[in-house]
Amino acid sequence: MINSTALNVNPSNPPDHHGEHGDLELRPGEIAVGVIIGRVGEFFDFFVFGIATVLVFPALFFPFATPTEGLYYAFMIFALGFFGRLLGAWLFRIIYDRFGRATKLTSALFLLGTSTVAIAFLPGYAEIGAAAIVLLTALRVAQGIAVGGAWDGLPSLLATNAPAHRRGWYAMLAQIGAPLGFLVATGLFAYLSTSVNAQDFVDWGWRFAFFTAFAINVVTLFARLRMAVTPEYEELFQASELTPSPLPELFRLKAADIVLGAIAPLASYALFHLVTIFPLAWVILDPDQFDLADVYALQILGAFICLGTMLVSGMVADRIGRPKTLWWGAVLIALFCLPAPFMGNTVIGALLFIPAGFALLGFSQAQSAGAINDCFEPRYRYSGALVTHELSWLLGAAFAPLLALVLSEHLGNAGVALYLLSATLASLLALQLTFRRKAAQNRANAGE
C-alpha cells in the first residue's frame, strides 16, 4: 500500500496526484524495491545466457568449429538479443495501447520465462544438426523481444518522484540489480561447473541455471505486477505523465536527445561485457594459463566491488549531478585504457584487470539510466527513456564481446583497449554536447 504521508516529487515540476482515489502520495524507497527486484531477475537471465554463451554453446552447438570460431558464432547469437529488445519495445507498445500495462507486462515476462526455460531443453548440434542453432537463435531473439517489452516505467517513475537532493542515490538504486544478478548467476554456474565433470556440464549440468532463471521470472512477475499495475500506481504514472508518447512526434522532436542519450553511457556499456562475459573466453582459448575457478572468484570479488562503487557514485552524483558523475566515470575509464593492454594476458594482469574494471563499471553504470531520464521532459520521458535505453545497449554492449575477441585475436589486448577508448571518447563527446544544449536551453528560458 502506498504511504499517504511520504510524498517526494520534483519541486520544480510537481505532479498533481489528486484524483478520484484522493491524495495519492509516494515513497521512493517503495518504488526502488520494485525496481531492484525486477532488475535482478532481468540481469540474472541476461548473465545466465551470457555465461553459457562462452562456456557451453560453442561446444554444444558448434562442435564442427575451432574454439575461437565457436566463440565467434556464439557471440553473434548473443548480440541478436539486443536487436530483439528494440523490436520488443515497439511490438509491446502496440499491446500497451490496445490492452493496457498489465497485459503488456504479463505477456512480456511470460515470453521471457518460456523462451528462457525452452533453451534448457534444446538438443545440441550432435542430435539435430543445424536446427539446434536455428532454435537457439530464435529463442535468443524471443528473449530480447521479451526484455524490450517488459519495460515497466518504474525507473522513470523513481527518477521523477525522488527527492531533488537524492536523485543520484535513487538513480543508483535502479542499477544495483546488475551486479546482484551477476553475483547470483556466476555463483550458480560456479557451483554447477564444479559439481560435475566437464562433459556432463556441457551435456546437461548448465541447464539447471536456465530452470532457475524461469523460477526467478515467476517471482519477479508477481512482484512487478504488484508495483506497476495497481490502480494507485496507474494514477501515479498518469500524474507524472509517464505514459507512451506518439512515436512519430518523439522521433521528430527528440531525435537529437535520443542519439546523445544513447551515446552518453557507451563507455560503461562497453566495459560491462569486457569484465563480465569476455574474461571467460580467456579460459576457453588459453586453458593452460587461466583456471575457470580463479576467474569466477575474481568476478565475484569484482561484483562486490562494483556494488561498493555504485554506492559511492550515488553519493557523488547528489553533490555534483548525474551527468557530471557519468562524465568523470568516462574519464576514469579512458585512463584505465592506458595500462589495459598490459593487464589482461597474464594471471597477474587478470588479478588487476577484472576488479579494477568492475570498480569503474559500478561508478559509471550507476548513473547511466539517470542521465538518460534527464534527456527528456515528462511528456516524452516514458517512451524516450525506453527507446534510448535499448538503443544504448545495442550500440554499446551487443557486439562488445565479439569485437573484443576479434581485436584481441588480431591486435592483442591493445586492440581491446583501443575499442574501449573509442567508446569512452564517444561518451565524452556526447556528454559535452549535452552540456552545451542544456546551457543554451537555460539561456533561452532565462531570456523569456
Side-chain angles (χ1 to χ4, degrees):
M1 184 62 64
I2 298 174
N3 187 286
S4 61
T5 62
L7 177 62
N8 288 293
V9 298
N10 182 347
S12 63
N13 185 29
D16 179 11
H17 289 174
H18 298 277
E20 61 177 327
H21 297 285
D23 279 349
L24 286 179
E25 301 187 359
L26 179 64
R27 187 191 314 215
E30 185 176 339
I31 304 177
V33 171
V35 172
I36 292 170
I37 291 174
R39 300 284 279 181
V40 169
E42 176 184 323
F43 276 103
F44 179 79
D45 277 18
F46 179 94
F47 286 119
V48 162
F49 192 97
I51 295 171
T53 294
V54 180
L55 300 184
V56 178
F57 295 162
L60 187 64
F61 295 100
F62 306 104
F64 52 85
T66 66
T68 302
E69 291 171 342
L71 278 173
Y72 284 153
Y73 298 141
F75 281 149
M76 289 177 189
I77 294 175
F78 177 79
L80 289 177
F82 294 88
F83 288 95
R85 288 169 68 146
L86 273 174
L87 178 60
W90 175 72
L91 290 175
F92 280 88
R93 164 66 185 269
I94 299 173
I95 295 175
Y96 180 100
D97 290 339
R98 294 186 179 181
F99 303 106
R101 189 190 310 273
T103 302
K104 167 186 176 292
L105 185 57
T106 303
S107 55
L109 290 176
F110 178 78
L111 175 61
L112 179 60
T114 53
S115 57
T116 297
V117 77
I119 293 173
F121 291 101
L122 280 181
Y125 185 90
E127 286 77 25
I128 60 174
I133 301 173
V134 173
L135 289 173
L136 177 65
T137 302
L139 291 172
R140 175 57 178 169
V141 173
Q143 276 189 320
I145 291 172
V147 171
W151 174 264
D152 52 21
L154 284 175
S156 294
L157 186 65
L158 178 60
T160 302
N161 290 277
H165 64 289
R166 298 298 306 280
R167 287 185 183 162
W169 182 261
Y170 282 101
M172 174 273 300
L173 291 178
Q175 298 300 310
I176 64 173
L180 291 176
F182 180 76
L183 275 171
V184 178
T186 303
L188 180 59
F189 266 97
Y191 172 76
L192 293 173
S193 61
T194 56
S195 298
V196 296
N197 62 55
Q199 187 58 50
D200 285 342
F201 175 73
V202 171
D203 289 340
W204 54 266
W206 64 276
R207 301 176 189 272
F208 287 97
F210 285 81
F211 294 140
T212 304
F214 176 76
I216 290 177
N217 278 325
V218 173
V219 174
T220 58
L221 169 62
F222 288 103
R224 293 173 72 176
L225 285 176
R226 178 183 175 275
M227 296 293 295
V229 301
T230 60
E232 293 85 358
Y233 272 88
E234 285 286 357
E235 185 167 340
L236 287 169
F237 276 111
Q238 295 289 336
S240 300
E241 299 184 69
L242 289 175
T243 55
S245 52
L247 291 181
E249 178 183 342
L250 174 70
F251 292 130
R252 186 178 71 254
L253 299 179
K254 295 295 176 182
D257 293 314
I258 291 173
V259 172
L260 291 176
I263 296 175
L266 284 191
S268 61
Y269 286 165
L271 182 60
F272 191 90
H273 280 153
L274 295 185
V275 296
T276 57
I277 305 300
F278 182 63
L280 295 171
W282 300 343
V283 179
I284 303 300
L285 301 178
D286 194 359
D288 293 332
Q289 186 162 333
F290 292 98
D291 181 74
L292 181 59
D294 292 338
V295 174
Y296 278 145
L298 282 171
Q299 291 188 315
I300 290 173
L301 172 64
F304 280 109
I305 294 173
C306 182
L307 284 169
T309 55
M310 280 188 166
L311 298 177
V312 172
S313 178
M315 293 184 285
V316 171
D318 285 334
R319 295 181 64 89
I320 68 173
R322 287 171 286 181
K324 287 185 179 180
T325 304
L326 191 60
W327 188 87
W328 278 110
V331 170
L332 292 173
I333 293 173
L335 295 175
F336 174 69
C337 292
L338 299 179
F342 311 102
M343 295 170 63
N345 58 352
T346 65
V347 174
I348 295 176
L351 287 170
L352 298 172
F353 175 83
I354 294 176
F358 267 106
L360 294 175
L361 176 65
F363 186 83
S364 181
Q365 179 74 17
Q367 301 304 320
S368 59
I372 288 174
N373 277 304
D374 284 345
C375 293
F376 303 96
E377 57 264 36
R379 170 174 169 75
Y380 302 105
R381 183 166 291 155
Y382 183 94
S383 295
L386 170 58
V387 172
T388 306
H389 177 78
E390 299 303 346
L391 182 60
S392 189
W393 275 106
L394 175 62
L395 294 175
F399 296 100
L402 178 61
L403 289 173
L405 181 61
V406 172
L407 290 170
S408 65
E409 285 292 304
H410 292 86
L411 300 176
N413 290 322
V416 180
L418 287 174
Y419 163 66
L420 182 57
L421 182 61
S422 67
T424 302
L425 294 177
S427 290
L428 291 172
L429 177 60
L431 287 166
Q432 196 63 37
L433 291 174
T434 300
F435 295 153
R436 292 184 179 181
R437 283 171 57 84
K438 286 188 176 182
Q441 186 178 14
N442 290 337
R443 286 195 298 268
N445 293 337
E448 292 180 354

